[in-house]
Amino acid sequence: EIVLTQSPDTLSLSPGERATLSCRASQSVTSNYLAWYQHKPGQAPRLLIFGASIRATDIPDRFSGSGSGTDFTLTITRLEPEDFAVYYCQQYGSSRTFGQGTKVEIK
Amino acid sequence: EVQLVQSGAEVKKPGESLKISCKGSGYRFTNYWIGWVRQMPGKGLEWMGIIYPGDSDTRYSPSFQGQVTISADKSISTAYLQWSSLKASDTAIYYCARHPSGYDRSPFESWGQGTLVTVSS
């Protein structure tokens, strides 16, 4: 089973700043089948990115994904107040697993 | 509009059985994989398994194989997650979610609102 390790565990930033989240896989992710989700308390998770870099429907372009193989990145160019949440990566190429999450909190 | 509506919160005792549900609407239920994700208190998301309602093809995470049963009734567009004997460690929020296509190698695009299951003596 592929293990996904996200870093950092917590990112403390101010609105308007850039957020860079990392997701590292224990082995290469098949066909870059890597997704990113945003999860806020009391809400269902929301798909942001799939295929490592493709934005899901209605996702603002301040969210972008990159990477391949074992190293992937989610970048939020300018944090809006509504972007403070927990972010998870998920690989769906070999079985399916989630990373442990990165919390983006207001500094 | 795609909607997944889950059954309500449950409070059960250890050893009891439980079946929670997820009703899909706004799309052809038989043509899309639908699955379940667990979130234990204060923890992250865990992928449990998926089912293709058209033929009931089911895939489980090794961590959940044998611990739960995923099923679907296509006549009423509803997927289920079932336990035969609950444990306190099954206390969690359970989300159902749907793939964006009929391909099994996909992320979860649409999500239900979550069902809180509490197991306590």
Side-chain angles (χ1 to χ4, degrees), chain B residues 6-109:
Chain B
Q6 298 184 228
S7 49
E10 301 274 1
V11 179
K12 307 293 278 187
K13 290 181 166 43
E16 292 186 330
S17 62
L18 177 63
K19 193 174 191 177
I20 62 175
S21 67
C22 171
K23 184 173 176 61
S25 62
Y27 71 101
R28 188 179 292 273
F29 185 74
T30 53
N31 289 13
Y32 294 81
W33 290 84
I34 189 166
W36 294 91
V37 173
R38 183 175 79 176
Q39 184 177 35
M40 298 176 73
K43 301 298 184 182
L45 305 177
E46 299 175 89
W47 191 92
M48 301 178 71
I50 51 173
I51 187 168
Y52 189 74
D55 61 7
S56 294
D57 186 7
T58 309
R59 317 281 167 84
Y60 291 95
S61 162
S63 300
F64 292 94
Q65 179 86 48
Q67 307 304 308
V68 297
T69 301
I70 295 171
S71 61
D73 184 340
K74 56 188 179 184
S75 70
I76 54 172
S77 300
T78 300
Y80 300 98
L81 179 64
Q82 183 175 2
W83 295 261
S84 59
S85 181
L86 286 161
K87 302 185 283 286
S89 57
D90 293 317
T91 295
I93 297 173
Y94 294 88
Y95 293 99
C96 68
R98 195 205 77 167
H99 282 188
S101 71
Y103 186 45
D104 66 326
R105 303 283 180 187
S106 296
F108 286 129
E109 180 182 58

Side-chain angles (χ1 to χ4, degrees), chain A residues 1 33 35 37 39-40 42-47 49-51 56-57 88 90 92-100, chain B residues 37 39 43-47 50 59-63 95 99-100 103-114:
Chain A
E1 183 175 271
Y33 284 159
Y37 299 85
H39 194 197
K40 298 179 182 178
Q43 297 185 19
R46 176 189 180 197
L47 177 65
I49 301 286
F50 63 95
T57 303
Y88 295 93
Q90 180 213 8
Y92 49 95
S94 171
S95 188
R96 290 92 174 154
T97 48
F98 284 96
Q100 85 279 12
Chain B
V37 173
Q39 184 177 35
K43 301 298 184 182
L45 305 177
E46 299 175 89
W47 191 92
I50 51 173
R59 317 281 167 84
Y60 291 95
S61 162
S63 300
Y95 293 99
H99 282 188
Y103 186 45
D104 66 326
R105 303 283 180 187
S106 296
F108 286 129
E109 180 182 58
S110 304
W111 293 71
Q113 82 276 20

Side-chain angles (χ1 to χ4, degrees), chain A residues 18-86:
Chain A
R18 180 186 188 93
T20 303
L21 288 66
S22 173
C23 176
R24 177 162 290 179
S26 60
Q27 54 188 281
S28 186
V29 175
T30 303
S31 302
N32 290 335
Y33 284 159
L34 193 287
W36 290 92
Y37 299 85
Q38 178 191 68
H39 194 197
K40 298 179 182 178
Q43 297 185 19
R46 176 189 180 197
L47 177 65
L48 300 174
I49 301 286
F50 63 95
S53 62
I54 303 169
R55 268 190 302 278
T57 303
D58 295 331
I59 301 303
D61 61 7
R62 64 180 181 274
F63 292 93
S64 65
S66 63
S68 64
T70 60
D71 288 295
F72 299 88
T73 301
L74 174 71
T75 302
I76 312 171
T77 50
R78 287 175 57 85
L79 282 164
E80 297 287 341
E82 62 269 27
D83 299 336
F84 292 91
V86 179

